[in-house]
mmCIF file with all atom_site columns, all heavy atoms in Angstrom:
data_model
loop_
_atom_site.group_PDB
_atom_site.id
_atom_site.type_symbol
_atom_site.label_atom_id
_atom_site.label_alt_id
_atom_site.label_comp_id
_atom_site.label_asym_id
_atom_site.label_entity_id
_atom_site.label_seq_id
_atom_site.pdbx_PDB_ins_code
_atom_site.Cartn_x
_atom_site.Cartn_y
_atom_site.Cartn_z
_atom_site.occupancy
_atom_site.B_iso_or_equiv
_atom_site.pdbx_formal_charge
_atom_site.auth_seq_id
_atom_site.auth_comp_id
_atom_site.auth_asym_id
_atom_site.auth_atom_id
_atom_site.pdbx_PDB_model_num
ATOM 1  N N   . ASN A 1 66 ? -26.185 11.717 -18.008 1.00 75.00 ? 573 ASN A N   1
ATOM 2  C CA  . ASN A 1 66 ? -24.785 12.078 -18.211 1.00 75.00 ? 573 ASN A CA  1
ATOM 3  C C   . ASN A 1 66 ? -24.149 12.519 -16.907 1.00 75.00 ? 573 ASN A C   1
ATOM 4  O O   . ASN A 1 66 ? -22.996 12.899 -16.869 1.00 75.00 ? 573 ASN A O   1
ATOM 5  C CB  . ASN A 1 66 ? -24.679 13.204 -19.235 1.00 75.00 ? 573 ASN A CB  1
ATOM 6  C CG  . ASN A 1 66 ? -24.791 12.640 -20.635 1.00 75.00 ? 573 ASN A CG  1
ATOM 7  O OD1 . ASN A 1 66 ? -24.357 11.529 -20.894 1.00 75.00 ? 573 ASN A OD1 1
ATOM 8  N ND2 . ASN A 1 66 ? -25.413 13.388 -21.526 1.00 75.00 ? 573 ASN A ND2 1
ATOM 9  N N   . ASP A 1 67 ? -24.948 12.460 -15.852 1.00 76.00 ? 574 ASP A N   1
ATOM 10 C CA  . ASP A 1 67 ? -24.492 12.906 -14.555 1.00 76.00 ? 574 ASP A CA  1
ATOM 11 C C   . ASP A 1 67 ? -23.857 11.719 -13.824 1.00 76.00 ? 574 ASP A C   1
ATOM 12 O O   . ASP A 1 67 ? -24.530 10.990 -13.112 1.00 76.00 ? 574 ASP A O   1
ATOM 13 C CB  . ASP A 1 67 ? -25.705 13.463 -13.795 1.00 76.00 ? 574 ASP A CB  1
ATOM 14 C CG  . ASP A 1 67 ? -25.300 13.939 -12.413 1.00 76.00 ? 574 ASP A CG  1
ATOM 15 O OD1 . ASP A 1 67 ? -24.115 14.248 -12.238 1.00 76.00 ? 574 ASP A OD1 1
ATOM 16 O OD2 . ASP A 1 67 ? -26.181 13.990 -11.541 1.00 76.00 ? 574 ASP A OD2 1
ATOM 17 N N   . ARG A 1 68 ? -22.559 11.536 -14.066 1.00 83.00 ? 575 ARG A N   1
ATOM 18 C CA  . ARG A 1 68 ? -21.909 10.345 -13.493 1.00 83.00 ? 575 ARG A CA  1
ATOM 19 C C   . ARG A 1 68 ? -20.786 10.715 -12.553 1.00 83.00 ? 575 ARG A C   1
ATOM 20 O O   . ARG A 1 68 ? -20.188 11.766 -12.669 1.00 83.00 ? 575 ARG A O   1
ATOM 21 C CB  . ARG A 1 68 ? -21.317 9.504  -14.624 1.00 83.00 ? 575 ARG A CB  1
ATOM 22 C CG  . ARG A 1 68 ? -22.393 8.874  -15.424 1.00 83.00 ? 575 ARG A CG  1
ATOM 23 C CD  . ARG A 1 68 ? -21.846 8.277  -16.668 1.00 83.00 ? 575 ARG A CD  1
ATOM 24 N NE  . ARG A 1 68 ? -22.913 8.285  -17.638 1.00 83.00 ? 575 ARG A NE  1
ATOM 25 C CZ  . ARG A 1 68 ? -22.784 8.633  -18.875 1.00 83.00 ? 575 ARG A CZ  1
ATOM 26 N NH1 . ARG A 1 68 ? -21.612 8.983  -19.343 1.00 83.00 ? 575 ARG A NH1 1
ATOM 27 N NH2 . ARG A 1 68 ? -23.812 8.636  -19.680 1.00 83.00 ? 575 ARG A NH2 1
ATOM 28 N N   . ASN A 1 69 ? -20.505 9.760  -11.684 1.00 87.00 ? 576 ASN A N   1
ATOM 29 C CA  . ASN A 1 69 ? -19.384 9.967  -10.774 1.00 87.00 ? 576 ASN A CA  1
ATOM 30 C C   . ASN A 1 69 ? -18.093 9.506  -11.443 1.00 87.00 ? 576 ASN A C   1
ATOM 31 O O   . ASN A 1 69 ? -18.126 8.734  -12.400 1.00 87.00 ? 576 ASN A O   1
ATOM 32 C CB  . ASN A 1 69 ? -19.634 9.199  -9.491  1.00 87.00 ? 576 ASN A CB  1
ATOM 33 C CG  . ASN A 1 69 ? -20.801 9.784  -8.725  1.00 87.00 ? 576 ASN A CG  1
ATOM 34 O OD1 . ASN A 1 69 ? -20.853 10.991 -8.501  1.00 87.00 ? 576 ASN A OD1 1
ATOM 35 N ND2 . ASN A 1 69 ? -21.747 8.937  -8.353  1.00 87.00 ? 576 ASN A ND2 1
ATOM 36 N N   . GLU A 1 70 ? -16.983 9.961  -10.871 1.00 88.00 ? 577 GLU A N   1
ATOM 37 C CA  . GLU A 1 70 ? -15.651 9.692  -11.442 1.00 88.00 ? 577 GLU A CA  1
ATOM 38 C C   . GLU A 1 70 ? -15.363 8.208  -11.673 1.00 88.00 ? 577 GLU A C   1
ATOM 39 O O   . GLU A 1 70 ? -14.604 7.849  -12.550 1.00 88.00 ? 577 GLU A O   1
ATOM 40 C CB  . GLU A 1 70 ? -14.575 10.233 -10.485 1.00 88.00 ? 577 GLU A CB  1
ATOM 41 C CG  . GLU A 1 70 ? -14.303 11.708 -10.617 1.00 88.00 ? 577 GLU A CG  1
ATOM 42 C CD  . GLU A 1 70 ? -13.456 12.046 -11.833 1.00 88.00 ? 577 GLU A CD  1
ATOM 43 O OE1 . GLU A 1 70 ? -13.092 11.139 -12.594 1.00 88.00 ? 577 GLU A OE1 1
ATOM 44 O OE2 . GLU A 1 70 ? -13.167 13.233 -12.020 1.00 88.00 ? 577 GLU A OE2 1
ATOM 45 N N   . LEU A 1 71 ? -15.946 7.359  -10.828 1.00 96.00 ? 578 LEU A N   1
ATOM 46 C CA  . LEU A 1 71 ? -15.573 5.945  -10.909 1.00 96.00 ? 578 LEU A CA  1
ATOM 47 C C   . LEU A 1 71 ? -16.746 5.053  -11.311 1.00 96.00 ? 578 LEU A C   1
ATOM 48 O O   . LEU A 1 71 ? -16.680 3.836  -11.129 1.00 96.00 ? 578 LEU A O   1
ATOM 49 C CB  . LEU A 1 71 ? -15.014 5.498  -9.558  1.00 96.00 ? 578 LEU A CB  1
ATOM 50 C CG  . LEU A 1 71 ? -13.651 6.078  -9.183  1.00 96.00 ? 578 LEU A CG  1
ATOM 51 C CD1 . LEU A 1 71 ? -13.323 5.825  -7.727  1.00 96.00 ? 578 LEU A CD1 1
ATOM 52 C CD2 . LEU A 1 71 ? -12.553 5.485  -10.069 1.00 96.00 ? 578 LEU A CD2 1
#
Side-chain angles (χ1 to χ4, degrees):
N573 280 327
D574 179 24
R575 290 169 207 136
N576 293 310
E577 278 283 1
L578 290 168

